[in-house]
């Protein structure tokens, strides 16, 4: 939370995951405590925030999830002070239209998997992300269950969480299940951008980055 002298409050959030950004709740707390006083003293506007970010880029890059929560709270506060949205304050298009939610189906046994899937379908959710175990039999069971329950493969993504070390191993496994999904997230080791690009071409599906895309300068590597 970021609160001004008039009691206006802005809210932000971040997601520290040790296997993605290398952060934990403890390191995020440490980052906040280290920079709190300086932020309070120097940042009262968007302009101040831009200057602060420029000076602290290296520290922010080491703690992106911690900074995400702080920056969102400050942006929300500044927008509320102007009684408008963050989008209007930043001069970008307003969010409009319906929200589409994706349900995550975890590494579950067959009965639990089917039960969770049925519950999501009962809520009207049609888009799914499947966590992969790497066991061909178990993974095939999941896709068979999806087909039986009428899930469109074009609305199924798979998340491998950097399961395979080499693209050849990922291709051997994913290729046999290719008809069941429309995209794959982080199939091999993080930051192996060219190998993931080639794997995506071989599979004929987009590759989604997570652990491999944390900072702005990485855009140049994946463009």
């Amino acid at each position: 939370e970021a609160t001004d002298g008039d009691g206006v409050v802005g809210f932000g959030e971040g997601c520290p995951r040790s296997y993605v950004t290398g952060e934990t709740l403890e390191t995020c707390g440490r980052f906040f405590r280290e920079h709190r006083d300086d932020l309070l003293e120097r940042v009262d506007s968007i302009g101040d925030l831009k200057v602060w970010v420029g000076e602290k880029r290296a520290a922010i890059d080491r703690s992106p999830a911690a900074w995400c929560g702080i920056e969102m709270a400050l942006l929300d506060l500044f927008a509320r002070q102007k009684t408008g949205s963050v989008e209007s304050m930043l001069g970008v298009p307003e969010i409009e239209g319906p929200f589409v939610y994706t349900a995550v189906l975890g590494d579950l046994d067959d009965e639990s998997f089917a039960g969770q899937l049925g519950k999501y379908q009962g809520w009207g959710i049609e888009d799914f992300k499947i966590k992969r175990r790497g066991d061909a039999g178990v993974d095939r069971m999941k896709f068979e269950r999806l087909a039986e329950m009428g899930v469109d493969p074009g609305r199924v993504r798979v998340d491998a969480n950097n399961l395979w070390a080499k693209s050849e191993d990922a291709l051997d496994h994913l290729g046999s299940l290719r008809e069941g999904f429309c995209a794959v997230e982080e199939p091999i080791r993080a930051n192996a951008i060219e190998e993931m690009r080639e794997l995506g071409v071989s599979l004929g599906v987009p590759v989604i980055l997570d652990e491999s895309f944390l900072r702005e300068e990485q855009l140049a590597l994946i463009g």
Side-chain angles (χ1 to χ4, degrees):
E1 298 179 12
T3 306
D4 70 7
D6 296 323
V8 179
V9 183
F11 299 94
E13 63 179 356
C15 183
R17 291 179 291 172
S18 59
Y19 66 94
V20 178
T21 68
E23 294 170 273
T24 64
L25 288 174
E26 180 180 351
T27 66
C28 286
R30 189 182 308 133
F31 179 92
F32 176 76
R33 291 189 296 273
E34 179 181 350
H35 299 288
R36 176 181 181 275
D37 291 345
D38 194 40
L39 285 164
L40 286 172
E41 180 179 345
R42 297 176 53 197
V43 178
D44 290 309
S45 67
I46 289 290
D48 294 339
L49 184 60
K50 289 180 178 178
V51 171
W52 199 92
V53 167
E55 294 178 3
K56 305 292 184 177
R57 174 60 65 186
I60 290 171
D61 283 349
R62 291 191 296 270
S63 303
W67 177 244
C68 179
I70 295 170
E71 183 179 44
M72 287 180 65
L74 290 169
L75 290 174
D76 189 35
L77 172 64
F78 297 150
R80 290 174 186 270
Q81 289 173 335
K82 297 178 179 295
T83 65
S85 66
V86 172
E87 289 78 17
S88 63
M89 180 181 66
L90 296 178
V92 299
E94 296 280 355
I95 295 174
E96 59 182 16
F99 288 92
V100 177
Y101 292 90
T102 296
V104 177
L105 293 163
D107 186 16
L108 306 168
D109 60 65
D110 186 33
E111 183 178 354
S112 299
F113 183 88
Q116 189 179 64
L117 174 57
K119 182 180 294 185
Y120 285 140
Q121 289 179 311
W123 293 340
I125 295 177
E126 298 179 324
D127 293 86
F128 299 93
K129 183 167 82 168
I130 311 298
K131 292 288 187 177
R132 305 304 301 277
R133 177 182 295 184
D135 182 307
V138 172
D139 289 336
R140 188 170 296 106
M141 173 274 294
K142 294 178 181 179
F143 284 103
E144 289 174 354
R145 183 65 71 179
L146 289 167
E148 290 171 4
M149 298 180 70
V151 176
D152 179 0
R155 306 186 74 161
V156 176
R157 310 191 307 275
V158 297
D159 185 0
N161 289 119
N162 313 108
L163 181 61
W164 293 283
K166 298 185 296 184
S167 58
E168 294 87 346
D169 297 333
L171 183 60
D172 287 344
H173 185 88
L174 295 170
S176 65
L177 303 168
R178 170 61 195 88
E179 299 304 316
F181 60 92
C182 67
V184 58
E185 179 179 329
E186 290 283 340
I188 57 177
R189 64 192 184 282
N191 301 308
I193 302 298
E194 287 306 315
E195 287 186 62
M196 282 195 266
R197 196 192 312 275
E198 294 170 3
L199 178 60
V201 171
S202 298
L203 290 170
V205 301
V207 173
I208 301 167
L209 300 183
D210 182 7
E211 291 85 353
S212 300
F213 183 33
L214 306 178
R215 299 168 181 86
E216 183 179 359
E217 62 268 21
Q218 291 175 300
L219 280 170
L221 301 175
I222 65 177

